[in-house]
Structures are given as structure tokens and as C-alpha cells.
Amino acid sequence: MRYSKILIPTLKETPAEAEAISHILMLRAGYIRQLAAGLYIYLPLGLKVIEKINKIIREEMNAIGAQEITMPALHPSEVWQETGRWYEIGDEMFRLKDRGGRDMCLGMTHEEIIAWLASKEIRSYKELPQIWYQIQIKLRDEARPKSGVLRTREFLMKDSYSLDADEEGLQKSYELHADAYHKIFTRCGLKYYMVESDPGMMGGARSHEFMAPSQSGEDEVAICDKCGYSANVELACSIPEGIDEKNWLLEEVYTPDKRTVQEVSDFLKIDSKYFIKSILLISGEIPVLALVRGDQELHEKKLTKIIGKHRTAHKEEVKDILGIEAGFIGPMNHKIRIIADSCLKEGVYISGANKPHYHVKGIKPDKDFVAEWFDIHVAKEGDFCTRCKSPLRIEKVIEIGNIFMLDTKYSLPMKAFYLDKNGKERPIIMGSYGIGPARIAAAVIEQNNDKDGIIWPKSIAPFDVEILPLNMKDSKTVEVSDQLYNDLLKEGIDVLIDDREERAGVKFKDADLIGIPIHIIIGEKNLREGFVEIKDRRIKETVKIKVSEVTERVKITV
RNA sequence: CGGGGCGUAGCGCAGCCUGGUAUAGCGCACCUGCCUUGGGAGCAGGGGGUCGGAGGUUCAAAUCCUCUCGCCCCGACCA
């Protein structure tokens, strides 16, 4: 491709709206443009990258026997009503009516459609297993689109669905997907983790997420480098650092106007980990007191699994129910249900005295109050692994893929049944598996860039090679460049030639920004001696090569 | 949806607080010419703006007030 014939609108300056590195570079290097919040146009280079990623995905999906299909992005409401998600899902679903007044929606995902298809087409155990996939647009009315292409309202997704006769079949399909995903992300040149994740509203027993470490990520994972434990902090378990056993006697201490753990801790000059944080919650109509250590955060999701949906109590409710304002509540002498973090079982603590401007020192759990014990704290850096007791790391990550076991959550309501060997009707066991190609591209940029721009891995770079004829007015330069360009094309190498009438500096800057892995630099002086230079974008080193040897050399490298 | 920020030429910004400089400014980009050609050159000339929109205050509004739309960031949400 000739640079003069392809739209690559590079930007010298950083657009004001971009903050994430990948967002800045995709805009500056001319890969994308924004139409509206969470809606992006992929320019030629951007599209080429996405298509390279899609090609890798297709190859690996096909390799596990998955079959590509394509389903509509516009759905009738009925299928979503069948499974109940029409009612469960709120504003995040784009809804509309057709001219006949029928309710429709834009597909956020395709479990319903797959289950519908399966219900029509699958009759017998002999037709199972099946894996069906598509690479298709998904639409979600995100509350907050952000970070460029990382969180958008319309996005491409590879979604596949496995249909199996039984649990073992599902297990197999799940593992096939995990293997395929490892291959896909490795081929894309990503550093990533496969972590345990919360199946959430997708239902089903197990799920994992594939996470690419990046500062721009929205999620956090807890990683144990020793035993390999890795989980989304949404469910990660951990053992907090230990505390010394204090020989405090039970006594009230005067803490005037000190309400938060931080304030009381500073005031008494005692570390916050010797405090019990008491939080009053309302679950339904019922008050529940949650206790975590002073240096911990209450984990809402973990608590939800124990007491169900809940909210924090209002100030007045705290007073009504516990008879004391929020700053001075403690675990003792209450008749309501108390859920406490397991780590509080051991030790002696300080907490509110249930009396204005007083705290109590020397509280012994189980003796001074009774509670139900659960892990309800958020795992944090420095906590220890529950399996091997080694320190955990917390890392910010971008979710680039996920795999879910759905079981019969969708097949039952959609009546996707088959007949087993004994002629008995059974629900199909399903799995659902997603990958976001745009997130792969963004995550790769996040992990591979320098001050000058993007550094693509060969596998998904928009071009294999870029030729830089430094002086287009020099006929020898043009002649040799064109010759090399044609030779490389003949070898099946995807090459971009910067044939613009620009100064050398401009070409160098743009080439570095765009990030094609190999640059062939054609300068007048070297050419007079029969040489050109080959530059590695990543390490920025150049080697002088005889013109006649360039094609061979590039063939090996690409 | 809560909190914060920002909308002035294609991009990045100044001007706004404290209204008034007859044509609203700067850098980059763009067009023409000359010159230059190994890291975003130089000189000269030029084009491009309903100051996000609507209403209001005023003799006078980019500037003050009200409403509204859009975009970004933090949080909540995220099937």
C-alpha cells in the first residue's frame, strides 16, 4: 500500500479528551476517530489490526471445531422475555419498537438467540456437542463509556456458545475454549492472566476471565506468584497481615469527636488494624451489622452472597436501630444479625462504645459479641494467599476475554431439549465464551509502546514492513524503493511505502508513531554505496544491508 | 445516576474573573511561491470562526445570569 493512497491522519498533539495511553496513541497514529461517546470509527489502519486479530481468533476457534455463524444484532423482545432478562436488565439494554409497535432490542449478547436456535435445530444427543460462534457487533447503553476503545457502547465481540449433552461435555468444551484462548492471546503478543471470576448474572457455576495487565484497566486481580492462585478481586480471598495479641483489659476510652477509624487510630496512636469497623446495612427491611478490621474494606459482593441485596443504612436509621450515631457504633450488645470478617476471630480490638464520644478497648470476639464468620473483606496488596500463605499482588487489568459455564440457565426457559440414548428429554448444557478484539488491540498498545508511539507485535501489526524513501526527489531512491516494494509484495509481504513528498523527519516520526515492526530506510548516501537500512521498531537498532539482500532478509524476519 | 472539569478555526490552547482595543488572538496543520531534504525545517503571502445551542441582563456579551446539548475524569452500575 502506498502511503499517499491510504488515510492515516496522524496527530502531532494529544487530543484533549484522551487519557489512556492506548486511546491517545490510537487517535494520534490515525487508527480511530470518535463519533460520539463510546462510538468509534475504525480508519484503515485500525481496521487492518482488528481484522488480523479476528483472523487469529477464527483460526483458533475453527481449530477446536467451532463453527462460524452470524446472528442479528436486532432482536425481538420475546426471546429475552422467555429467559426473563428482558425484565432483569435495566437501562443498559437499548430498546426500541418497530413500525408495528413490537418491542425490540439491540443485542447485548446472544445466549437467548443461541438457545432459541438450539431449541429449533437440536433433537438428539447424536447432534451434540456443538460449538457455534460469531464475530459480531454488540450494543450496550453503557452508563459510562471510557478509555477510548476499552469501554464502548457498540463493540465487536467474538462470542461462542457450546452445546453439550452433559456436564462432562461442558467441561470439555470449557477446556477447549480455555486452550484456544491461551493460543489466541499468546499469538497476539499479550501478557495476560487467566483468573477466577464471578459469574454474576450470567449464571452458572464456573467462570474465568482473561486479563491483560495495564494501568488503564478497570478491573483488579489478586495474583499469587508462588502457587499460581489468581482471581478477580470481585471474589478473591486473602488472609490479611497478622496482628499482635494485645493484653488490653476491657475499658471505655474517651474519644471526643473522633468518628472514623482513621481519626480514632490517629488520636489513640494505635494502628488501624486493631480496630473493628462496624457498618450497618439494610437487607430488605432487616438490619445487619457487618464487621471488618479497621484496615480493611467491606466487600459488597461477598456480603451479597451471604445476606442478599442490601444497602447501607441512612444516618437516622443507624440512630433508630442501634441508638447511637454512626461514628460510635460497636459490635457489642446488639440483638441484630452480625456478619464479621473471619480474620477478626483472633485478637483483641477497639471499636465504638455505642455511647457518644467513647470507644471500647480490649474487645474479644466471641466473648464480647457473637457473630457469623465469613470472608467479607476486599483482598489487598500485601495480604496473603489462602492456599500457600505467600504474599499476594494486586494488579490492574483489562478484561480481554471470558469463559462461562451456563449449564441450563438458558436452555430450560428456551426449551432447548434433546433426547438422550434412552429417549429421555434433557436440557442442553450450555457454555458461553467471549473475546473483545478491540480490547486486545488496546491492551497490546498499552503493553507495547514508547515515547514515540506504538510498537506492534508482528502478528497483528497493520503492515509487516514500512519502506521509507527519505528523498522522493532523488530518482535512484524512488527507483530502488519501488523495486523493493514490488519484490516484497510478490513475496506476499504486506508492505506500506511512504511515498509522500515529506521531509525525512516527518516520515521517521510517523513511522515510529504508527508502529509497524520493521522499517526499511532508503537514504541517498547509503544507496550510493548500494546499501539500505533495516530498523527494528522495538529496539530501534538499524543494520545496513545490501539492496540485493533485503528481500531475503525481510522474508526471514517477518 | 451522584461529584468534578471542559466546549473559542482541523488539532492544541490564550482571552472570560473585572463586559467596551473599529477586523477575536497564538502555535501547529492547510493553500500558493521560493528554498530545503537523515528525526515533525526556513522565509513570504493566503484561506478558514454563527466563541456548543437557546433565552435573558445591558447602550454594548466569547466575557454576566438562566436553561439546554455535548465531551472527558472520579464514583455507582456493568448480564
Side-chain angles (χ1 to χ4, degrees):
Chain A
M1 177 59 74
R2 295 188 170 269
Y3 204 122
S4 59
K5 302 274 187 277
I6 179 173
L7 178 67
I8 309 176
T10 57
L11 266 21
K12 257 194 214 178
E13 283 170 298
T14 303
E17 70 269 14
E19 196 152 288
I21 294 164
S22 56
H23 189 194
I24 291 171
L25 289 177
M26 282 172 132
L27 286 169
R28 283 198 54 212
Y31 283 74
I32 57 168
R33 285 295 182 262
Q34 185 181 49
L35 208 214
L39 298 174
Y40 285 85
I41 293 163
Y42 285 80
L43 300 177
L45 288 186
L47 217 213
K48 286 201 78 166
V49 170
I50 295 294
E51 285 186 340
K52 288 221 173 179
I53 293 168
N54 289 165
K55 181 164 182 278
I56 291 173
I57 293 174
R58 285 194 171 96
E59 285 169 9
E60 298 301 340
M61 291 309 297
N62 294 343
I64 62 167
Q67 307 160 69
E68 185 165 4
I69 62 174
T70 180
M71 293 174 275
L74 181 63
H75 303 174
S77 61
E78 287 80 8
V79 277
W80 287 83
Q81 286 163 359
E82 290 290 332
T83 61
R85 283 163 114 191
W86 178 261
Y87 311 102
E88 281 167 38
I89 296 169
D91 292 337
E92 205 161 325
M93 181 185 263
F94 280 110
R95 296 164 204 260
L96 63 158
K97 285 184 194 297
D98 70 7
R99 62 169 67 194
R102 278 177 292 270
D103 282 320
M104 314 282 288
C105 65
L106 301 180
M108 316 176 47
T109 176
H110 286 74
E111 281 81 13
E112 275 78 0
I113 312 305
I114 285 284
W116 180 92
L117 216 211
S119 75
K120 301 283 179 214
E121 306 306 333
I122 303 296
R123 298 274 86 100
S124 156
Y125 71 95
K126 292 174 193 163
E127 293 156 344
L128 296 173
Q130 295 279 347
I131 297 174
W132 298 336
Y133 80 99
Q134 64 173 349
I135 297 178
Q136 228 259 160
I137 290 296
K138 300 279 181 278
L139 297 116
R140 296 180 189 177
D141 195 357
E142 289 287 347
R144 183 147 94 87
K146 59 180 284 199
S147 308
V149 120
L150 283 178
R151 190 168 196 78
T152 54
R153 292 191 290 180
E154 175 181 308
F155 58 97
L156 205 59
M157 181 167 160
K158 184 291 300 179
D159 47 322
S160 47
Y161 305 87
S162 61
L163 309 176
D164 281 285
D166 51 33
E167 293 295 333
E168 291 106 86
L170 172 60
Q171 187 66 36
K172 180 97 185 294
S173 297
Y174 193 81
E175 279 160 19
L176 282 174
H177 274 90
D179 288 347
Y181 278 31
H182 284 300
K183 287 182 181 143
I184 290 166
F185 299 131
T186 302
R187 286 181 64 185
C188 289
L190 272 175
K191 179 174 188 243
Y192 69 95
Y193 305 114
M194 173 170 155
V195 308
E196 285 175 31
S197 73
D198 183 356
M201 294 285 284
M202 287 286 265
R206 277 181 84 198
S207 67
H208 286 87
E209 285 163 332
F210 289 78
M211 302 294 214
S214 158
Q215 271 310 302
S216 302
E218 300 181 276
D219 289 302
E220 288 184 328
V221 293
I223 307 277
C224 174
D225 289 318
K226 183 126 179 264
C227 75
Y229 173 73
S230 56
N232 193 314
V233 290
E234 288 181 355
L235 51 61
C237 292
S238 72
I239 301 166
E241 64 169 321
I243 56 171
D244 299 328
E245 188 80 24
K246 302 280 187 187
N247 53 355
W248 296 330
L249 295 174
L250 197 67
E251 60 167 335
E252 285 187 351
V253 282
Y254 183 50
T255 51
D257 285 317
K258 309 296 180 222
R259 289 175 171 81
T260 65
V261 167
Q262 191 60 54
E263 284 166 1
V264 185
S265 159
D266 289 347
F267 180 72
L268 299 176
K269 298 193 170 46
I270 296 170
D271 196 292
S272 62
K273 62 191 182 187
Y274 293 99
F275 286 78
I276 294 174
K277 206 189 279 183
S278 317
I279 303 144
L280 186 68
L281 304 152
I282 310 292
S283 173
E285 291 292 299
I286 303 171
V288 176
L289 195 62
L291 310 179
V292 292
R293 217 166 73 178
D295 61 335
Q296 294 177 334
E297 292 292 321
L298 173 65
H299 197 306
E300 299 287 346
K301 280 201 167 143
K302 288 180 182 173
L303 191 64
T304 301
K305 283 196 184 125
I306 301 158
I307 65 168
K309 275 199 123 179
H310 61 273
R311 59 174 175 82
T312 48
H314 304 135
K315 278 183 184 160
E316 314 80 63
E317 289 174 319
V318 173
K319 258 195 152 147
D320 290 348
I321 295 163
L322 301 176
I324 179 71
E325 72 165 288
F328 305 101
I329 59 181
M332 304 195 301
N333 307 319
H334 296 302
K335 293 206 171 65
I336 63 172
R337 186 176 181 195
I338 298 179
I339 311 282
D341 188 72
S342 315
C343 81
L344 292 172
K345 256 186 163 169
E346 305 296 326
V348 183
Y349 296 93
I350 300 165
S351 193
N354 298 314
K355 179 174 157 185
H357 308 292
Y358 278 92
H359 279 73
V360 172
K361 198 171 164 186
I363 299 173
K364 292 200 173 79
D366 267 343
K367 177 168 162 279
D368 296 315
F369 66 90
V370 182
E372 296 166 51
W373 305 98
F374 291 96
D375 178 334
I376 54 167
H377 66 271
V378 179
K380 61 175 207 234
E381 184 88 28
D383 281 0
F384 298 95
C385 178
T386 52
R387 292 187 193 165
C388 75
K389 316 286 185 255
S390 303
L392 291 175
R393 277 188 302 120
I394 305 291
E395 216 171 333
K396 279 187 117 178
V397 293
I398 296 167
E399 182 186 348
I400 47 175
N402 53 42
I403 53 180
F404 291 97
M405 289 191 178
L406 299 175
D407 290 317
T408 59
K409 175 167 169 139
Y410 300 93
S411 51
L412 279 177
M414 294 305 297
K415 298 186 178 62
F417 298 133
Y418 70 96
L419 292 182
D420 70 11
K421 276 179 185 161
N422 305 315
K424 194 171 174 240
E425 189 172 69
R426 293 186 184 279
I428 295 171
I429 311 292
M430 287 178 57
S432 158
Y433 318 85
I435 289 182
R439 281 188 173 183
I440 293 180
V444 167
I445 294 173
E446 293 281 338
Q447 293 180 0
N448 300 278
N449 66 80
D450 60 18
K451 65 172 175 37
D452 293 312
I454 303 169
I455 307 170
W456 289 112
K458 288 168 196 153
S459 58
I460 63 170
F463 288 94
D464 300 320
V465 180
E466 176 171 351
I467 299 175
L468 285 78
L470 296 186
N471 183 2
M472 292 298 288
K473 294 225 167 72
D474 176 57
S475 58
K476 182 76 178 165
T477 298
V478 173
E479 183 193 317
V480 172
S481 303
D482 281 347
Q483 185 60 49
L484 281 176
Y485 175 64
N486 288 318
D487 288 350
L488 289 168
L489 283 181
K490 260 180 232 147
E491 296 293 338
I493 291 163
D494 204 3
V495 36
L496 176 67
I497 180 168
D498 193 345
D499 60 342
R500 294 175 301 169
E501 301 269 345
E502 287 286 356
R503 298 168 60 86
V506 172
K507 295 193 179 187
F508 283 131
K509 287 289 180 190
D510 277 339
D512 286 346
L513 224 204
I514 291 165
I516 294 163
I518 299 169
H519 301 167
I520 301 174
I521 299 161
I522 307 193
E524 266 180 278
K525 284 180 207 123
N526 281 324
L527 204 52
R528 259 180 248 134
E529 296 153 21
F531 288 100
V532 300
E533 285 164 287
I534 296 188
K535 175 175 147 185
D536 181 311
R537 169 63 184 87
R538 188 175 295 271
I539 58 175
K540 291 191 156 157
E541 276 173 13
T542 62
V543 282
K544 269 178 145 184
I545 300 263
K546 279 224 174 74
V547 172
S548 55
E549 292 167 7
V550 171
T551 310
E552 263 323 294
R553 180 67 173 252
V554 170
K555 258 169 72 181
I556 299 163
T557 331
V558 172

